[in-house]
Amino acid sequence: MSASASDVIRTAALAWEIYRMGWSEEFDASQQYNDFGNDIKSLAENLNNIVRVVENARATWIQESVRIARSRGLPLQKDWDLSSLHEIIGDYNNTLEDCKKLLEQNYEFRNNRNFAYNIEWNLVIQPKVDRLRRRLDSHNSKISILLKPLELNLLSDIHRDLADRIDAVHRSILHLHGLLIPDVEQAISEQGRVVLIPLIVPADIERRFQTAAERFYPAVRSPGNFPLQAGADAFVAHMDESTRKFTAGNFLNERTPEPKQYLSLLKCVWIMRCLQESYALQTAPDSSQWPGYIAQLNEDLSVECLRFTAPSTQRLIPPDVSSPRPEDEYSIWPGEDISEYISPHSEVYLEEVLKLSMPSPSPSLRRDMTVYKLDATKYRLVESIEDTTNPATRRQEYKMEIDLKTVNLTPIYATPSSRPKSMEVQIHSASAKTNPTFQEHKQMLRFQHLLTGYKVYGRYDQAMVTVSFFVSGQVKPIEEHARIQIWLPHPFASSNSQNVSAAATPTTLQSPSSSTIQSPTIQGPLRSNTRGSLNASMESMTIGRNPGFKNPSMESTTIGRSRDNMTPSRLTKSSSRASVGTGRESTATGNSRDDVRSSRFSMRSFTTKSRQRPPSVMTNSSSTSRRSTATSITTISTGAGNRAHLHTKPAKPLLVIFLKGKDASAKLAIVAIQMDDKTEVKRERCGCRSSNSNCKSSCIERSDGSLLVQRWDADQGLGSWNLAKLGVEQRKELPADSWNDVKRVSLNFDRTEDRYTFAGSPCACKPKMQHDLARCILDGHHGVFGVVKQIGSQRLRNYHQERECAAGENLVLGALPEEEQW
């Protein structure tokens, strides 16, 4: 379809109409909105420049024809076929129509800069504007390249037409000049000159270019079949990413561009050679602007390449591009980014709760796993790897979203075996599965803590255990291979919150006796006669039968937070009015959801207003100084703006036993034994009555009957061995999953030291008061089992004390106290 200058004039008028509609007045608009208008204005001006060039050529034709050959009856009007402009520049008319439509639909953004409009602009309008601005920029850059060859082509046509009609005498006075070209005849003579390109594309890189080009245009295998329009667009795109924007300095390293920039320049050299050999260019009609446009691109390429052959003080140094680079850096066709047409979207800020280093096959490769919090129970896992020595290698990521209510966590590392297992787990969500392997034992347990809401106390993770279950009605005990951990319900603290708490003041804990005492460092036996309760301080203590004791069979496990002596902490009394715990603590330290609904709780209301809607739970994020003995207290809304405190009974610690059967099936299972005041290690059942005993067994019983045991068998293979079922969000309270009538559990350790670490050894202590028992436990006489059991008991006592305290208070009318506002 032919086109003329009048078509360009109409399109330029449309561009000015759009600009005047949106930007004719001084509006209090955002900078992004004004930049959009400037791009439309630039296109209007560039289209006007095309019209000026064409109109000047037409006026030159009329003037010269009248002056030189008036008597020969030459036509006074001349027009040209400008249809090739549309092919070169692109569909600028369609772009302007899209701009007009967007402006008409969002007229209010001209003079609104308030918060609401800014949000709507950024989320909804800005992505559409960005796409239009990229199209406008493409049109503008191509027009700026095309103007000079367009004028030369038009004036050359006039020169040829007039030269054919006059004799040699009159030809000497034929001097044409344009708006951009001072001497047309000289420009015509220079047009036939060969433009040298001093850069040579290496053979191996050329093969990569050829392969990349054939991937989308198989026809380019044959010489001359290179696509003209797509090739020219690719040339312009790569030229913008080449060394053209590189600014050189004085030193050699400052005169060496990035390999990616130099590679883009080599692409332009290769594309230009293919364009010049193209049949479409060689057979273009005389009216086509393609030959002049390609010639101008070639001239611009020559100028850029000459920077690498300039005098030594100004010469650019080619970078090394011989080493293989990412495949997409050799691509020829930029193509349309179809992802732009996805509905406008953006990611909100996600809180990073955990970041772990992962094992890597080489020091140069860095692997990480980062966990982001999406909401109360949903998280995003991002495993990434990057080459620190090769920045050109793109960072690779794998993302997976999990819900603590439905995730499947298979503890492959905990499979009972006489051989060490890799620190590997399997995570299975509704739509994906991954098998991460961790670098350190503590990292793996920390990740497990996040997914279950239970902390492996002191990283106690004992392998090489044989367990015997004594069940009523069965003659022989059930013997299985085992690995044991002791879990304490504890809110997961993110990396950021840990850094904050590390810089905070020392933790203060409540003592039942209300006295302020100094808790000693627990590495060796406790020798102090200090009075007062020590139960509250156990969670942050390190215990051991002897100073410096280390259990080699626990696979790098330590009892406590550090091998070093810990700084003593103050034990002071706190007010029971304070809201206790973080947002996660109300879930992590409490029972499961089923248990919360059925458990006894007390509410302390702060208003007597009537309830207009059902209560809704909203966790208070206030902190507490009684971290280790806190019960779960949640601030809830009771409707109509009223608030109250909900006291949730704390969950019991768990003795978790990973099992593998001794029979031929070797079925896997997990057992959880609740640790309360009535759950005890019975030394009289084995040979542990003497402190010098070499007994390797510990027997666990409950004083008033069967143990509180739950069991989960992996009936469907390894994938059904799901540790997340024990977690806060998935575990159901008894009688769900119960294993009834288990009277005794006997743990047979591989070494005597392992048994001492778990259950301690007989002592001469005769505790009469609570603080006497605490001192005995902290001396290591009851092992890690005794410490965790005492922590759980103290938490339960605190819960009951706080309920009694709250029940005895009078109602307070009005709003919450200032320190409890949220």
Side-chain angles (χ1 to χ4, degrees), residues 502-707:
T505 56
T507 303
T508 54
L509 307 170
Q510 180 182 4
S511 167
S513 63
S514 302
S515 61
T516 302
I517 64 173
Q518 184 87 2
S519 62
T521 299
I522 308 299
Q523 279 288 356
L526 180 68
R527 300 301 182 193
S528 173
N529 291 323
T530 309
R531 301 200 43 95
S533 173
L534 302 180
N535 298 321
S537 63
M538 293 184 181
E539 213 167 338
S540 60
M541 295 302 164
T542 302
I543 70 169
R545 189 165 183 267
N546 293 302
F549 171 75
K550 180 179 179 182
N551 187 346
S553 67
M554 289 175 58
E555 299 182 12
S556 303
T557 305
T558 58
I559 307 304
R561 299 182 186 272
S562 172
R563 298 179 185 271
D564 300 327
N565 289 346
M566 299 186 65
T567 304
S569 57
R570 279 286 182 188
L571 307 182
T572 59
K573 184 172 181 178
S574 299
S575 170
S576 62
R577 285 180 56 89
S579 296
V580 180
T582 62
R584 284 191 53 81
E585 185 172 353
S586 64
T587 303
T589 62
N591 293 345
S592 65
R593 293 181 180 272
D594 294 338
D595 187 49
V596 169
R597 287 193 293 266
S598 61
S599 64
R600 299 170 58 193
F601 63 90
S602 65
M603 276 194 290
R604 178 159 54 97
S605 178
F606 286 92
T607 178
T608 58
K609 293 182 180 179
S610 62
R611 274 65 171 164
Q612 299 180 4
R613 60 188 180 198
S616 61
V617 177
M618 294 181 293
T619 302
N620 190 352
S621 297
S622 62
S623 61
T624 177
S625 62
R626 295 172 294 153
R627 180 184 59 182
S628 61
T629 60
T631 60
S632 178
I633 302 179
T634 306
T635 300
I636 68 170
S637 171
T638 58
N642 304 328
R643 302 182 180 93
H645 282 336
L646 173 68
H647 295 246
T648 305
K649 188 176 181 179
K652 300 182 181 71
L654 299 176
L655 172 60
V656 178
I657 308 176
F658 303 92
L659 297 170
K660 182 178 181 181
K662 285 188 172 184
D663 55 9
S665 64
K667 184 170 65 175
L668 296 169
I670 300 176
V671 161
I673 302 175
Q674 296 186 17
M675 299 166 55
D676 59 9
D677 281 338
K678 298 179 181 180
T679 306
E680 301 173 345
V681 174
K682 295 287 188 179
R683 293 195 175 109
E684 61 269 21
R685 301 295 186 190
C686 58
C688 296
R689 298 183 181 182
S690 170
S691 60
N692 297 322
S693 171
N694 292 322
C695 178
K696 299 179 182 179
S697 299
S698 289
C699 296
I700 301 172
E701 296 182 8
R702 200 163 188 269
S703 58
D704 65 347
S706 300
L707 291 165

Side-chain angles (χ1 to χ4, degrees), residues 316-359:
L316 297 186
I317 309 299
D320 180 19
V321 292
S322 59
S323 58
R325 304 186 63 78
E327 198 64 30
D328 60 342
E329 291 192 16
Y330 297 97
S331 62
I332 297 298
W333 314 110
E336 184 179 27
D337 186 5
I338 59 176
S339 63
E340 294 181 352
Y341 299 104
I342 297 177
S343 301
H345 61 281
S346 61
E347 287 194 356
V348 298
Y349 169 77
L350 299 178
E351 177 191 359
E352 178 185 310
V353 296
L354 182 63
K355 186 170 185 178
L356 303 173
S357 298
M358 307 288 284

Side-chain angles (χ1 to χ4, degrees), residues 54 254 335 365 451 552 622 628 710 719 731 799 810 813:
V54 175
E254 296 174 347
L365 296 179
L451 267 59
S622 62
S628 61
Q710 290 173 294
R731 179 170 165 265
Y799 161 73
N810 296 325
L813 301 181

Side-chain angles (χ1 to χ4, degrees), residues 32-49:
Q32 297 96 324
Y33 182 85
N34 292 329
D35 291 341
F36 182 35
N38 291 333
D39 290 340
I40 295 177
K41 182 180 179 182
S42 296
L43 181 58
E45 292 172 343
N46 281 324
L47 291 173
N48 276 350
N49 290 337

Side-chain angles (χ1 to χ4, degrees), residues 210 214 217-227 274 277-279:
Q210 181 71 32
E214 293 175 359
Y217 287 91
V220 302
R221 295 189 182 97
S222 302
N225 289 337
F226 201 78
C274 295
E277 298 173 354
S278 170
Y279 295 146

